Amino acid sequence: MPSAPSSRLSDLDYLRGIAALGIVAYHYTSWTAGPQSAEFPLGRVGVYGVAVFYVLSGLTMFHVYGHRLGTARQIRTFFVRRAFRIFPLLWLVTIATILLSRSWPGWRAFGLNMTGLFGFVDWDGYIALGVWSIGNELVFYALLPLIAWAAHRRSWFAVCVAVFVGIGAYFAFAVLDPSLPLAEQWGAYVNPLNQAFLFVLGFAVGKVLRGVHIPRWALLSALVAALLVFCIWPSGGDLINLVTGTNRFVFTLVCVVLCAVAYKLASDLPPILDRPLATLGEASYSVYLIHPIAFTAVGIVAQGALPMPVTTLLAIGVTLTASVLCYRIYERPLINVARQLTPTR
């Protein structure tokens, strides 16, 4: 088995970009037309778009690092590269959010956000909208060497997966109360222990399916079935109903299936579709973190002079343009710096 995969998985980029765009649609619709119900697909995308990110993250970490975390040097390389990938944009959006809000969050909150430590000690103490999930990711990265070690021992990895799924079940059935709105329990929901099983399941998908051939018809059938379940599975009311009880695992299974299909499908899209989707996937981190800032900035500039649909369309255009430029001018050069600082040989 090769130790260092050399090819980028395009379909994972496609799914990552689509998930980011779905979250943008969910937020912009919620901010202009009101809260979205758990009954409608867009409300479900708002919750489980982030879950898709987590599963994809675990899957990608297996694909890239699953067999390259066996030594101290390899672990150091992983953390250096992840730091260069995560922190520059985190710093940028945190400072931009503070400037736009014209409100100082306090030195403790600022320090925890700039260092990423809020994910470990104050996971709902984030400053920029959406950054709670980045704090979760940093916790997952801290756990990754242990997860990768367990993955080399079948029984240990089974225990690892069972433990994290069990913790997720504890939150879904015991910690989160389906009779109360999700907003009132947000601190419990964004606890990294409530989300870690998604990352671990993504890692497990990579481990189980790597090298396995699945017929194309089976993958497409699984894709259609997952999308149908996502859209028609009975659930309504507040979004809390999507993340508690049995629903938590039904929708999680949908996310896992979507990511597994993207991992194995190997689509051959024409350039007219491949390039935009690939670009969106590459810039998805920027899309996810920049879109609230773009919405606020466009609203400030428009000052209510434009109809809300026009303002929203402008915000979408600013989000996509700024995100692609941010990735190409700011993020990608720093990614390359990290690679130069941590040669693989």
Side-chain angles (χ1 to χ4, degrees):
M1 183 176 293
S3 60
S6 59
S7 60
R8 188 176 182 93
L9 300 175
S10 297
D11 287 60
L12 297 189
D13 278 340
Y14 300 160
L15 181 56
R16 191 177 287 111
I18 292 170
L21 203 58
I23 292 172
V24 173
Y26 164 75
H27 279 149
Y28 283 8
T29 302
S30 299
W31 297 337
T32 56
Q36 300 298 301
S37 166
E39 179 181 359
F40 299 109
L42 196 55
R44 301 177 180 194
V45 168
V47 173
Y48 280 96
V50 176
V52 166
F53 283 154
Y54 287 153
V55 178
L56 283 175
S57 178
L59 177 51
T60 303
M61 290 303 102
F62 172 82
H63 181 71
V64 178
Y65 293 105
H67 298 275
R68 295 197 297 177
L69 291 175
T71 67
R73 179 179 179 181
Q74 290 173 330
I75 293 173
R76 183 172 62 252
T77 293
F78 165 74
F79 282 117
V80 169
R81 292 189 177 188
R82 285 290 91 191
F84 272 80
R85 183 69 185 97
I86 295 296
F87 282 105
L89 186 57
L90 174 63
W91 294 336
L92 184 66
V93 298
T94 297
I95 292 172
T97 299
I98 292 172
L99 293 176
L100 286 173
S101 69
R102 299 179 183 179
S103 176
W104 177 245
W107 284 109
R108 180 180 184 275
F110 181 73
L112 289 176
N113 274 259
M114 296 298 278
T115 60
L117 292 176
F118 72 97
F120 297 84
V121 300
D122 189 18
W123 42 84
D124 60 344
Y126 53 94
I127 293 173
L129 185 67
V131 163
W132 67 270
S133 63
I134 309 306
N136 280 189
E137 281 280 347
L138 294 172
V139 174
F140 305 160
Y141 294 159
L143 295 172
L144 183 60
L146 179 61
I147 296 169
W149 174 86
H152 292 289
R153 298 153 181 83
R154 182 175 300 180
S155 58
W156 278 101
F157 188 63
V159 170
C160 177
V161 173
V163 166
F164 280 104
V165 171
I167 294 173
Y170 173 68
F171 275 85
F173 288 95
V175 175
L176 296 172
D177 185 347
S179 67
L180 298 175
L182 179 60
E184 294 183 13
Q185 307 176 78
W186 190 248
Y189 175 70
V190 300
N191 188 322
L193 291 177
N194 183 39
Q195 310 290 339
F197 77 103
L198 297 162
F199 180 86
V200 174
L201 287 176
F203 195 93
V205 167
K207 177 175 172 58
V208 171
L209 295 185
R210 184 174 183 172
V212 175
H213 172 72
I214 302 176
R216 191 174 184 84
W217 65 265
L219 292 170
L220 293 175
S221 298
L223 174 62
V224 172
L227 292 175
L228 284 174
V229 170
F230 187 79
C231 292
I232 69 176
W233 185 264
S235 181
D238 189 82
L239 298 180
I240 189 65
N241 295 313
L242 299 175
V243 296
T244 52
T246 304
N247 285 352
R248 177 60 161 166
F249 291 93
V250 170
F251 288 106
T252 292
L253 179 61
V254 168
C255 295
V256 170
V257 170
L258 291 176
C259 294
V261 170
Y263 183 45
K264 303 304 295 185
L265 189 57
S267 300
D268 186 16
L269 297 181
I272 194 172
L273 294 176
D274 172 75
R275 194 57 208 153
L277 285 174
T279 300
L280 184 62
E282 290 173 346
S284 58
Y285 181 38
S286 292
V287 171
Y288 177 66
L289 289 188
I290 287 176
H291 79 273
I293 295 171
F295 188 86
T296 302
V298 170
I300 291 173
V301 172
Q303 294 184 339
L306 298 174
M308 186 55 68
V310 175
T311 301
T312 302
L313 288 175
L314 284 174
I316 292 173
V318 170
T319 293
L320 296 178
T321 302
S323 297
V324 172
L325 290 175
C326 182
Y327 174 74
R328 293 181 175 176
I329 297 173
Y330 181 55
E331 295 178 76
R332 188 163 62 185
L334 290 171
I335 293 171
N336 292 331
V337 169
R339 288 173 178 167
Q340 294 171 5
L341 292 175
T342 55
T344 56
R345 295 183 184 278

